[in-house]
Amino acid sequence: MVFQKQWNGIKNLEKGKVQNNKKNNNFKKAYNSRPKPYFSEIINDDKIAAPRVIKECSNNFLGDFDIKRDRYFSSEFVCLEEKNIWNKVWQFACREEDIPSVGDYYVYDILDWSILIVRSEKNKINAFINSCLHRGTQIKPSNSCGYSETLRCPFHGWEWQLNGDLNKIPCDWDFPHINKDKANLYKVKVDTWGGFVFINLDNNSIPLQEYLSVIPEHFRDWDMANRRKAAHVAKIIPCNWKFAVEAFLEGYHVKETHPQALPYTGDTNCQYDYWGDHISRMMSGLGTPSPNLDLNNISDKDTIESMRDLVSYLDGDLDENIKQIKPREFLAKSMRDILTKSTGVDHSEFSTSEIIDAIQYFVFPNFIPWAGYGVPIVYRFRPNGHDPDSSIFEVILLYESSDKNFESDPYINWLEPDDSWTKAVELGGLGILFDQDEAAFKAGQNGLKASLKKGSTFSFKSPGKNPKRSPASTAGLDKIILFTLPSCRAETALATAK
């Protein structure tokens, strides 16, 4: 109740702060002081132009108030999230290729909920609460996948068909009080987009396509449904799920956390955009040095050499190649060649930005798919049960393939909490970066709990071309999303909604 009372009075306070910022020039000053080259300027110089959606800019000023630190470690706030977020939002649960055949199943767990996802017909996917209607036993184990002709409880053998209809009750003469026509498994709302299977525990929720907003349009040229899972790595990490999500929605941390990436990463000149209540995007130019460095002392060769530890395809005579083309074009050509060879799909006409840049979209509250072709990453973040001090971080690699019969493996490589991410060799050079991130996670979670400051401070700058200074209250404070770090602000509002 303490949190609920605080939230009831916080709206007017935060609304006032937004209005005050509208009257001053802080946002305008920050916008005009941002470092060059802007992301839009970087891609405008590319040999093959980026598509329209990458050039699109969509951002408003949505406030600069601190986010209360209690949100990251309070058990009471975990309960608010459970009540007002996780049983109301669309969540990515699995890939369609994880359950390619009739009878294939996949179990997705979130907090105390366990959802059993089943391919019941060739073109039909059902989702059920993973609980037997007899004594509540899980029908399939948590985080499991496999094949089953029927859905049978491992305790007493109650059995359902793949569509959730009751099939049989052993010794049914002893259950004359059971209405067999109504003893079907509880269905969960399920839908798909781009090969991703989503579930929603709220039967009255808006449709998935409406929830995804611009995502289907923006990804029209990047056929996610035609990709297959090449790796899926998961690990319990030492921080709240929101802290982890937010770390991957900004480039501000690169200088301190990933200093080796500065020669080839546009970090503080990232572009941030958002659309509506659930979608945001961060775009970072690669093959270009950070504005944090002395650009006069960074050569084109330095930029490419610095990427060798991350990617293995940068072979050949750099000196000779650099004389002819700039780093971004050299990287793009190398990536196009290797992607065409490895996938059987011609990548020669795809734009430089689609091939090499970090273009990641965020679907509230925990799904981050990367766009384009060269960086086939998907992130997912989940609470680790009801523990506010830890969470589950998953990394998925999706690759295009010309082989229509190619089947991926639904297996998840679960690392132990003390394992290095480099143990997952399928992630290549990304493992080093995730180890660096995880060190920051632990320090951040511990520091938040020790802090005497009441909240965390976030940037409000907008590196797009056409900033608008509309107050966050125009959409209603209960729908606030910060375009650079939308999870914390949208999550704050949703978790405190009545």
Side-chain angles (χ1 to χ4, degrees):
M1 290 303 295
V2 174
F3 270 99
Q4 199 65 56
K5 290 179 180 178
Q6 290 177 348
W7 303 158
N8 289 339
I10 201 171
K11 290 186 177 181
N12 288 334
L13 174 62
E14 293 177 343
K15 180 177 179 180
K17 289 184 177 181
V18 171
Q19 295 289 356
N20 287 337
N21 275 288
K22 187 181 180 184
K23 297 176 182 178
N24 65 39
N25 293 320
N26 286 349
F27 179 73
K28 184 176 181 181
K29 290 178 180 178
Y31 178 78
N32 291 333
S33 300
R34 60 202 172 104
K36 289 188 175 185
Y38 308 149
F39 178 80
S40 58
E41 294 174 335
I42 293 172
I43 63 174
N44 281 342
D45 290 335
D46 290 338
K47 185 176 181 180
I48 301 181
R52 176 190 58 81
V53 295
I54 293 181
K55 294 181 178 181
E56 184 175 334
C57 177
S58 176
N59 45 60
N60 295 330
F61 172 50
L62 295 177
D64 64 356
F65 53 88
D66 280 0
I67 301 300
K68 284 184 173 291
R69 66 187 183 93
D70 313 58
R71 291 158 169 76
Y72 298 95
F73 54 80
S74 163
S75 295
E76 187 176 352
F77 202 75
V78 171
C79 294
L80 287 173
E81 292 175 346
E82 179 177 14
K83 176 182 177 182
N84 294 311
I85 294 182
W86 295 111
N87 68 349
K88 294 182 181 297
V89 298
W90 283 99
Q91 304 170 54
F92 158 50
C94 68
R95 289 281 298 174
E96 289 192 65
E97 69 263 25
D98 289 334
I99 47 173
S101 303
V102 175
D104 287 343
Y105 69 86
Y106 195 101
V107 177
Y108 171 73
D109 296 314
I110 183 73
L111 295 174
D112 287 335
W113 290 295
S114 185
I115 296 91
L116 176 57
I117 302 162
V118 182
R119 187 172 292 276
S120 54
E121 301 174 27
K122 181 178 179 180
N123 296 311
K124 177 70 173 179
I125 296 175
N126 280 312
F128 309 102
I129 296 296
N130 185 26
S131 175
C132 177
L133 299 188
H134 176 213
R135 299 277 291 276
T137 302
Q138 281 190 333
I139 297 173
K140 299 297 181 182
S142 290
N143 296 313
S144 68
C145 58
Y147 168 79
S148 186
E149 291 186 358
T150 61
L151 305 177
R152 182 169 178 162
C153 176
F155 195 3
H156 296 95
W158 285 39
E159 187 177 82
W160 288 265
Q161 299 174 33
L162 297 178
N163 65 0
D165 291 348
L166 180 66
N167 197 34
K168 68 177 181 180
I169 298 177
C171 305
D172 61 349
W173 52 264
D174 208 17
F175 297 91
H177 50 294
I178 297 295
N179 184 339
K180 295 181 180 179
D181 292 332
K182 295 184 178 180
N184 300 326
L185 293 176
Y186 288 107
K187 287 191 173 183
V188 174
K189 205 169 183 178
V190 63
D191 203 349
T192 63
W193 165 78
F196 297 98
V197 179
F198 291 81
I199 61 93
N200 195 316
L201 291 157
D202 181 5
N203 288 326
N204 297 316
S205 69
I206 63 175
L208 174 64
Q209 293 298 311
E210 181 180 347
Y211 191 91
L212 292 176
S213 182
V214 302
I215 291 288
E217 175 193 353
H218 279 216
F219 278 76
R220 185 174 296 140
D221 292 334
W222 308 311
D223 187 5
M224 304 299 280
N226 194 41
R227 301 188 184 189
R228 296 294 180 264
K229 194 164 67 174
H232 190 166
V233 183
K235 186 181 181 184
I236 295 174
I237 55 176
C239 70
N240 188 273
W241 70 274
K242 298 183 294 298
F243 192 94
V245 169
E246 291 156 11
F248 285 88
L249 298 181
E250 46 88 357
Y252 186 44
H253 72 285
V254 172
K255 180 180 179 181
E256 292 299 323
T257 306
H258 310 297
Q260 77 278 11
L262 291 177
Y264 60 83
T265 303
D267 54 348
T268 55
N269 52 350
C270 290
Q271 178 172 315
Y272 303 95
D273 303 287
Y274 83 99
W275 295 266
D277 298 337
H278 311 125
I279 310 299
S280 73
R281 177 179 70 182
M282 179 186 75
M283 298 188 293
S284 174
L286 298 185
T288 182
S290 164
N292 282 307
L293 300 178
D294 182 356
L295 301 186
N296 293 323
N297 291 322
I298 300 293
S299 69
D300 290 346
K301 184 176 180 180
D302 292 335
T303 297
I304 294 179
E305 287 284 8
S306 64
M307 294 192 71
R308 282 190 181 277
D309 290 337
L310 182 64
V311 290
S312 59
Y313 56 81
L314 299 181
D315 296 322
D317 187 343
L318 295 185
D319 290 322
E320 187 62 31
N321 279 289
I322 290 302
K323 293 176 183 178
Q324 302 175 34
I325 55 177
K326 303 299 286 183
R328 282 178 60 82
E329 299 304 332
F330 174 70
L331 295 172
K333 182 181 183 303
S334 300
M335 180 66 87
R336 289 188 188 100
D337 291 344
I338 196 168
L339 286 175
T340 298
K341 181 179 179 180
S342 62
T343 66
V345 177
D346 183 13
H347 286 72
S348 62
E349 298 301 318
F350 296 136
S351 73
T352 298
S353 186
E354 293 172 279
I355 290 292
I356 67 172
D357 286 337
I359 306 170
Q360 61 174 56
Y361 285 74
F362 171 62
V363 180
F364 179 81
N366 66 333
F367 175 50
I368 301 181
W370 287 50
Y373 299 99
V375 192
I377 299 176
V378 174
Y379 297 140
R380 179 169 63 186
F381 303 85
R382 287 184 281 170
N384 181 30
H386 290 269
D387 178 15
D389 292 324
S390 67
S391 56
I392 300 171
F393 173 33
E394 296 168 79
V395 181
I396 300 170
L397 300 184
L398 296 177
Y399 286 98
E400 233 181 349
S401 175
S402 59
D403 182 2
K404 302 300 181 182
N405 297 318
F406 175 81
E407 291 187 7
S408 66
D409 187 351
Y411 165 77
I412 301 177
N413 179 9
W414 280 90
L415 300 177
E416 294 297 324
D418 293 332
D419 284 344
S420 165
W421 282 90
T422 59
K423 185 175 180 180
V425 294
E426 60 268 41
L427 296 180
L430 294 173
I432 296 173
L433 299 176
F434 295 143
D435 279 345
Q436 292 173 322
D437 287 320
E438 187 171 322
F441 293 162
K442 185 174 183 179
Q445 187 72 16
N446 291 341
L448 278 169
K449 298 174 75 172
S451 176
L452 297 180
K453 186 170 176 282
K454 292 183 178 180
S456 293
T457 301
F458 296 95
S459 164
F460 63 67
K461 70 180 181 179
S462 167
K465 292 194 298 183
N466 302 308
K468 299 177 181 178
R469 299 183 61 213
S470 307
S473 56
T474 57
L477 202 64
D478 60 330
K479 294 182 179 180
I480 257 184
I481 281 187
L482 176 66
F483 49 82
T484 52
L485 298 171
S487 76
C488 57
R489 305 219 176 190
E491 189 270 349
T492 293
L494 287 175
T496 59
K498 294 181 180 178

PDB file of all heavy atoms in Angstrom, residues 442-453:
ATOM      1  N   LYS A 442      25.818  -6.102 -12.138  1.00  0.00           N
ATOM      2  CA  LYS A 442      25.979  -6.403 -10.714  1.00  0.00           C
ATOM      3  C   LYS A 442      26.311  -5.151  -9.917  1.00  0.00           C
ATOM      4  O   LYS A 442      25.731  -4.904  -8.853  1.00  0.00           O
ATOM      5  CB  LYS A 442      27.085  -7.448 -10.526  1.00  0.00           C
ATOM      6  CG  LYS A 442      27.252  -7.912  -9.085  1.00  0.00           C
ATOM      7  CD  LYS A 442      28.252  -9.057  -8.993  1.00  0.00           C
ATOM      8  CE  LYS A 442      28.348  -9.553  -7.547  1.00  0.00           C
ATOM      9  NZ  LYS A 442      29.300 -10.700  -7.443  1.00  0.00           N
ATOM     10  N   ALA A 443      27.229  -4.339 -10.445  1.00  0.00           N
ATOM     11  CA  ALA A 443      27.591  -3.106  -9.756  1.00  0.00           C
ATOM     12  C   ALA A 443      26.408  -2.148  -9.683  1.00  0.00           C
ATOM     13  O   ALA A 443      26.201  -1.457  -8.673  1.00  0.00           O
ATOM     14  CB  ALA A 443      28.767  -2.439 -10.472  1.00  0.00           C
ATOM     15  N   GLY A 444      25.613  -2.116 -10.752  1.00  0.00           N
ATOM     16  CA  GLY A 444      24.456  -1.231 -10.772  1.00  0.00           C
ATOM     17  C   GLY A 444      23.391  -1.637  -9.780  1.00  0.00           C
ATOM     18  O   GLY A 444      22.839  -0.794  -9.061  1.00  0.00           O
ATOM     19  N   GLN A 445      23.080  -2.928  -9.707  1.00  0.00           N
ATOM     20  CA  GLN A 445      22.055  -3.401  -8.785  1.00  0.00           C
ATOM     21  C   GLN A 445      22.471  -3.162  -7.336  1.00  0.00           C
ATOM     22  O   GLN A 445      21.686  -2.683  -6.513  1.00  0.00           O
ATOM     23  CB  GLN A 445      21.786  -4.889  -9.020  1.00  0.00           C
ATOM     24  CG  GLN A 445      20.619  -5.447  -8.217  1.00  0.00           C
ATOM     25  CD  GLN A 445      19.271  -4.966  -8.714  1.00  0.00           C
ATOM     26  OE1 GLN A 445      19.154  -4.452  -9.815  1.00  0.00           O
ATOM     27  NE2 GLN A 445      18.248  -5.128  -7.893  1.00  0.00           N
ATOM     28  N   ASN A 446      23.732  -3.485  -7.018  1.00  0.00           N
ATOM     29  CA  ASN A 446      24.217  -3.272  -5.647  1.00  0.00           C
ATOM     30  C   ASN A 446      24.258  -1.787  -5.306  1.00  0.00           C
ATOM     31  O   ASN A 446      23.916  -1.382  -4.184  1.00  0.00           O
ATOM     32  CB  ASN A 446      25.615  -3.876  -5.483  1.00  0.00           C
ATOM     33  CG  ASN A 446      25.603  -5.391  -5.543  1.00  0.00           C
ATOM     34  OD1 ASN A 446      24.564  -6.021  -5.365  1.00  0.00           O
ATOM     35  ND2 ASN A 446      26.749  -5.989  -5.813  1.00  0.00           N
ATOM     36  N   GLY A 447      24.673  -0.971  -6.269  1.00  0.00           N
ATOM     37  CA  GLY A 447      24.764   0.457  -6.012  1.00  0.00           C
ATOM     38  C   GLY A 447      23.411   1.104  -5.807  1.00  0.00           C
ATOM     39  O   GLY A 447      23.260   2.006  -4.968  1.00  0.00           O
ATOM     40  N   LEU A 448      22.405   0.665  -6.545  1.00  0.00           N
ATOM     41  CA  LEU A 448      21.060   1.207  -6.366  1.00  0.00           C
ATOM     42  C   LEU A 448      20.537   0.948  -4.963  1.00  0.00           C
ATOM     43  O   LEU A 448      19.902   1.808  -4.345  1.00  0.00           O
ATOM     44  CB  LEU A 448      20.103   0.579  -7.390  1.00  0.00           C
ATOM     45  CG  LEU A 448      20.097   1.186  -8.785  1.00  0.00           C
ATOM     46  CD1 LEU A 448      19.308   0.303  -9.740  1.00  0.00           C
ATOM     47  CD2 LEU A 448      19.507   2.588  -8.756  1.00  0.00           C
ATOM     48  N   LYS A 449      20.818  -0.218  -4.442  1.00  0.00           N
ATOM     49  CA  LYS A 449      20.335  -0.554  -3.094  1.00  0.00           C
ATOM     50  C   LYS A 449      21.083   0.224  -2.019  1.00  0.00           C
ATOM     51  O   LYS A 449      20.530   0.512  -0.952  1.00  0.00           O
ATOM     52  CB  LYS A 449      20.477  -2.059  -2.866  1.00  0.00           C
ATOM     53  CG  LYS A 449      19.647  -2.888  -3.844  1.00  0.00           C
ATOM     54  CD  LYS A 449      19.898  -4.374  -3.700  1.00  0.00           C
ATOM     55  CE  LYS A 449      19.217  -4.923  -2.468  1.00  0.00           C
ATOM     56  NZ  LYS A 449      19.290  -6.404  -2.420  1.00  0.00           N
ATOM     57  N   ALA A 450      22.328   0.590  -2.303  1.00  0.00           N
ATOM     58  CA  ALA A 450      23.126   1.316  -1.308  1.00  0.00           C
ATOM     59  C   ALA A 450      22.948   2.825  -1.391  1.00  0.00           C
ATOM     60  O   ALA A 450      23.281   3.548  -0.456  1.00  0.00           O
ATOM     61  CB  ALA A 450      24.609   0.970  -1.500  1.00  0.00           C
ATOM     62  N   SER A 451      22.404   3.300  -2.487  1.00  0.00           N
ATOM     63  CA  SER A 451      22.348   4.732  -2.758  1.00  0.00           C
ATOM     64  C   SER A 451      21.482   5.497  -1.758  1.00  0.00           C
ATOM     65  O   SER A 451      20.465   4.989  -1.271  1.00  0.00           O
ATOM     66  CB  SER A 451      21.813   4.964  -4.171  1.00  0.00           C
ATOM     67  OG  SER A 451      21.671   6.343  -4.427  1.00  0.00           O
ATOM     68  N   LEU A 452      21.892   6.736  -1.476  1.00  0.00           N
ATOM     69  CA  LEU A 452      21.080   7.642  -0.665  1.00  0.00           C
ATOM     70  C   LEU A 452      20.236   8.550  -1.553  1.00  0.00           C
ATOM     71  O   LEU A 452      19.382   9.286  -1.044  1.00  0.00           O
ATOM     72  CB  LEU A 452      21.977   8.483   0.239  1.00  0.00           C
ATOM     73  CG  LEU A 452      22.798   7.709   1.280  1.00  0.00           C
ATOM     74  CD1 LEU A 452      23.648   8.672   2.104  1.00  0.00           C
ATOM     75  CD2 LEU A 452      21.885   6.885   2.182  1.00  0.00           C
ATOM     76  N   LYS A 453      20.497   8.516  -2.858  1.00  0.00           N
ATOM     77  CA  LYS A 453      19.707   9.295  -3.809  1.00  0.00           C
ATOM     78  C   LYS A 453      18.397   8.556  -4.068  1.00  0.00           C
ATOM     79  O   LYS A 453      18.373   7.341  -4.208  1.00  0.00           O
ATOM     80  CB  LYS A 453      20.502   9.450  -5.110  1.00  0.00           C
ATOM     81  CG  LYS A 453      19.878  10.350  -6.159  1.00  0.00           C
ATOM     82  CD  LYS A 453      20.895  10.604  -7.278  1.00  0.00           C
ATOM     83  CE  LYS A 453      20.301  11.431  -8.410  1.00  0.00           C
ATOM     84  NZ  LYS A 453      19.451  10.610  -9.277  1.00  0.00           N
TER      85      LYS A 453
END
